[in-house]
């Protein structure tokens, strides 16, 4: 792909919305190397699909769809090495450091629980945290808005149980 | 105890931090120009390795044949088997590569994309299985038929050797298929089942 061929509009789109890709990479990868690889793969997929974007949905919804699709349905070799801490959690710590230790602890517990969800549940949680509407989540995931509501309800219950179990275990 | 909704603020904050560390347009251009490896690319690499292994096995068999000179099996028969296997392999890999190139369509919604990826991956696996079981037998049969020596093919001992040979390579190949494409297929199906539940 020659530099001159790269559409300026596309570069601007990715530059402005790269937070979406970073968040997806942080959600699905545990090491910096994996995150970089996935980021690059998502950018490649966005580039490939860019011509077919018809503007029927919001550009952010479209980007979520491509990023999540690449992360979930793509084939990546599992690396046998100790798991590093997820970047998102590390950044949460930076963000909230000495201000509220209790809040940070709660955050860690919740984030650990989210990390234990399966890939599809993680996608739904992520879109929910991004304050996407049920309709938008449904559009990305390919199920009905009602089904999104049902799944989200189940996920919230599951997370509550996981968090409770963790607290009970500590006591 | 924290609820999911309480995480929204922290999530927003994470976005702000990420914006501070955002990549510049030049860095994005560099990323686009670099060769990212997609799922199709990874499967393509598998195929390249498979082709290399097949070539090594064929060369090895030819060497065994030349060294130990089996009575009743002429050079013409072996050439016939090899010609068949090479043509079959070329057609097979061309078709497989065409399927694999379409294994991921990220522009679709997740459910449709998973369904298409699972169908393609299943087709790739099934084709390998059929090829593994049938190709040597058909190759040998055609070759013996073309040289009017079907009597050798239908000899019980020869059939037994052929069956043993098929089993001998079927199991390691099947293990390899499960570890590569099979594992990916299982993951795709798990996600799809989760969505369709």
């Amino acid at each position: 792909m020659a530099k001159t061929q790269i559409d300026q509009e596309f570069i601007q789109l990715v530059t402005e919305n790269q937070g979406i890709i970073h968040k997806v990479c942080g959600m699905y990868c545990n090491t910096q190397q994996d995150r970089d690889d996935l980021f690059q793969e998502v950018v490649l997929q966005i580039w490939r699909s860019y011509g077919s974007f018809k503007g029927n949905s919001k550009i952010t919804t479209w980007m979520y769809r491509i990023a999540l699709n690449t992360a979930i349905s793509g084939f990546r070799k599992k690396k046998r090495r100790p798991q590093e801490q997820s970047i998102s959690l590390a950044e949460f710590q930076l963000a909230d450091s000495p201000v509220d230790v209790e809040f940070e602890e709660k955050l860690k517990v919740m984030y650990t629980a989210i990390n234990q969800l399966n890939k599809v549940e993680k996608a739904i949680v992520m879109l929910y945290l991004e304050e996407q509407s049920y309709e938008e989540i449904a559009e990305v995931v390919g199920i009905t808005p009602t089904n999104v509501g049902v799944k989200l309800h189940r996920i919230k219950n599951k997370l509550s149980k996981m968090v409770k179990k963790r607290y009970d275990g500590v006591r | 105890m924290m609820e999911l909704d309480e995480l929204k603020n922290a999530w927003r904050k994470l976005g702000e931090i990420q914006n501070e560390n955002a990549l510049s347009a030049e860095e994005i251009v560099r990323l686009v120009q670099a060769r990212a490896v997609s799922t199709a690319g990874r499967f393509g690499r598998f195929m390249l390795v498979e082709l290399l292994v097949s070539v090594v096995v064929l060369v090895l068999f030819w060497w065994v044949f030349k060294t130990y000179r089996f009575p009743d099996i002429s050079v013409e028969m072996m050439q016939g088997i090899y010609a068949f296997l090479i043509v079959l392999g070329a057609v097979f890999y061309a078709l497989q590569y065409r399927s694999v190139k379409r294994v991921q369509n990220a522009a679709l919604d997740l459910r449709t994309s998973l369904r298409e990826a699972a169908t393609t991956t299943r087709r790739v696996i099934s084709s390998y299985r059929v090829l593994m079981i049938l190709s040597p037998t058909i190759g040998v049969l055609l070759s013996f038929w073309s040289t009017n020596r079907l009597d050798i093919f239908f000899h019980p001992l020869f059939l037994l050797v052929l069956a043993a040979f098929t089993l001998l390579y079927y199991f390691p190949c099947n293990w390899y298929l499960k570890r590569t494409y099979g594992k990916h297929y299982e993951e795709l199906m798990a996600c799809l089942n989760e969505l369709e539940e």
Side-chain angles (χ1 to χ4, degrees):
Chain A
M1 202 185 295
K3 191 173 182 175
T4 47
Q5 284 176 297
I6 299 170
D7 193 356
Q8 281 304 312
E9 212 178 299
F10 166 77
I11 299 299
Q12 197 185 341
L13 169 81
V14 176
T15 311
E16 284 171 4
N17 297 289
Q18 59 180 289
I20 292 173
I21 313 175
H22 283 302
K23 279 179 178 170
V24 172
C25 296
M27 187 67 104
Y28 288 95
C29 302
N30 287 316
T31 67
Q32 189 58 46
Q33 176 69 48
D34 290 346
R35 279 189 285 273
D36 290 346
D37 290 348
L38 181 58
F39 187 93
Q40 203 173 355
E41 204 181 325
V42 172
V43 173
L44 176 77
Q45 292 295 345
I46 293 173
W47 170 254
R48 281 182 182 164
S49 313
Y50 188 55
S52 62
F53 177 63
K54 294 183 181 75
N56 295 336
S57 55
K58 281 203 309 201
I59 193 84
T60 48
T61 308
W62 178 77
M63 280 187 75
Y64 268 119
R65 187 192 291 180
I66 291 184
L68 286 168
N69 244 326
T70 310
I72 296 173
S73 67
F75 173 75
R76 264 167 294 280
K77 270 190 163 180
K78 300 268 182 305
K79 287 166 186 148
R80 283 184 192 174
R81 58 184 170 198
Q83 288 207 333
E84 288 175 18
Q85 193 181 52
S86 146
I87 191 172
S88 308
L89 182 53
E91 283 172 343
F92 276 145
Q93 285 168 330
L94 281 175
D96 302 301
S97 45
V99 185
D100 189 344
V101 179
E102 197 190 344
F103 178 75
E104 191 183 295
E105 186 52 39
K106 283 178 178 175
L107 210 55
K108 272 189 201 172
V109 172
M110 178 53 93
Y111 201 80
T112 309
I114 291 176
N115 259 342
Q116 286 169 9
L117 295 175
N118 65 42
K119 286 179 178 180
V120 172
E121 289 171 334
K122 273 185 186 174
I124 294 172
V125 164
M126 193 184 155
L127 293 166
Y128 176 74
L129 290 174
E130 284 290 315
E131 306 202 49
Q132 299 271 313
S133 68
Y134 281 13
E135 283 73 20
E136 284 166 331
I137 299 176
E139 199 186 316
V140 172
V141 176
I143 54 178
T144 63
T146 318
N147 211 343
V148 170
V150 173
K151 285 200 181 295
L152 210 44
H153 179 72
R154 278 191 211 153
I155 295 169
K156 280 181 181 178
N157 282 344
K158 192 172 172 180
L159 284 173
S160 293
K161 276 182 197 160
M162 281 167 148
V163 171
K164 191 173 179 298
K165 202 173 162 187
R166 171 100 183 195
Y167 278 114
D168 290 347
V170 170
R171 274 177 210 150
Chain B
M1 208 164 68
M2 181 180 260
E3 290 295 329
L4 187 60
D5 293 86
E6 289 177 63
L7 199 63
K8 279 185 178 172
N9 280 336
W11 189 257
R12 215 173 295 127
K13 204 173 269 181
L14 172 68
E16 287 162 17
I17 295 167
Q18 277 172 339
N19 285 341
E20 285 168 21
N21 302 321
L23 298 176
S24 66
E26 287 72 33
E27 285 170 309
I28 303 276
V29 172
R30 222 171 298 138
L31 271 181
V32 176
Q33 286 174 324
R35 289 177 67 86
V37 186
S38 61
T39 302
R42 287 187 187 97
F43 279 2
R45 281 180 187 175
F46 282 159
M47 286 184 176
L48 204 65
V49 174
E50 289 154 17
L51 266 172
L52 283 173
V53 171
S54 308
V55 169
V56 170
V57 169
L58 285 178
V59 170
L60 199 73
F61 269 102
W62 189 260
W63 176 80
V64 170
F65 170 72
K66 282 290 213 185
T67 312
Y68 297 101
R69 274 283 169 192
F70 297 103
D72 294 328
I73 300 177
S74 64
V75 174
E76 288 74 30
M77 282 177 188
M78 280 303 278
Q79 283 172 342
I81 296 171
Y82 269 59
F84 172 78
L85 289 177
I86 289 166
V87 171
L88 183 77
V91 173
F92 175 78
Y93 275 106
L95 292 174
Q96 288 288 74
Y97 188 66
R98 211 177 65 163
S99 296
V100 155
K101 268 175 81 177
R102 293 192 300 242
V103 79
Q104 193 178 29
N105 186 350
L108 299 169
D109 65 74
L110 184 60
R111 190 181 178 191
T112 315
S113 169
L114 282 168
R115 203 179 290 152
E116 286 195 0
T119 308
T120 308
T121 312
R122 192 181 54 223
R123 203 179 299 140
V124 166
I125 297 170
S126 308
S127 311
Y128 271 113
R129 290 222 168 99
V130 171
L131 182 88
M132 279 191 292
I133 298 168
L134 295 181
S135 64
T137 312
I138 295 174
V140 171
L141 179 67
L142 281 178
S143 171
F144 283 24
W145 172 75
S146 66
T147 49
N148 287 322
R149 292 306 309 268
L150 276 176
D151 55 314
I152 302 175
F153 183 83
F154 288 111
H155 192 282
L157 189 67
F158 185 81
L159 284 175
L160 201 70
V161 170
L162 194 63
F165 171 72
T166 305
L167 282 177
L168 199 72
Y169 77 85
Y170 177 80
F171 287 109
C173 289
N174 199 39
W175 172 84
Y176 163 78
L177 276 182
K178 276 186 182 167
R179 270 189 65 94
T180 50
Y181 308 96
K183 242 181 186 172
H184 180 55
Y185 176 70
E186 278 171 18
E187 282 177 16
L188 290 173
M189 285 310 289
C191 291
L192 194 58
N193 289 338
E194 172 63 32
L195 271 176
E196 293 184 338
E197 210 173 52

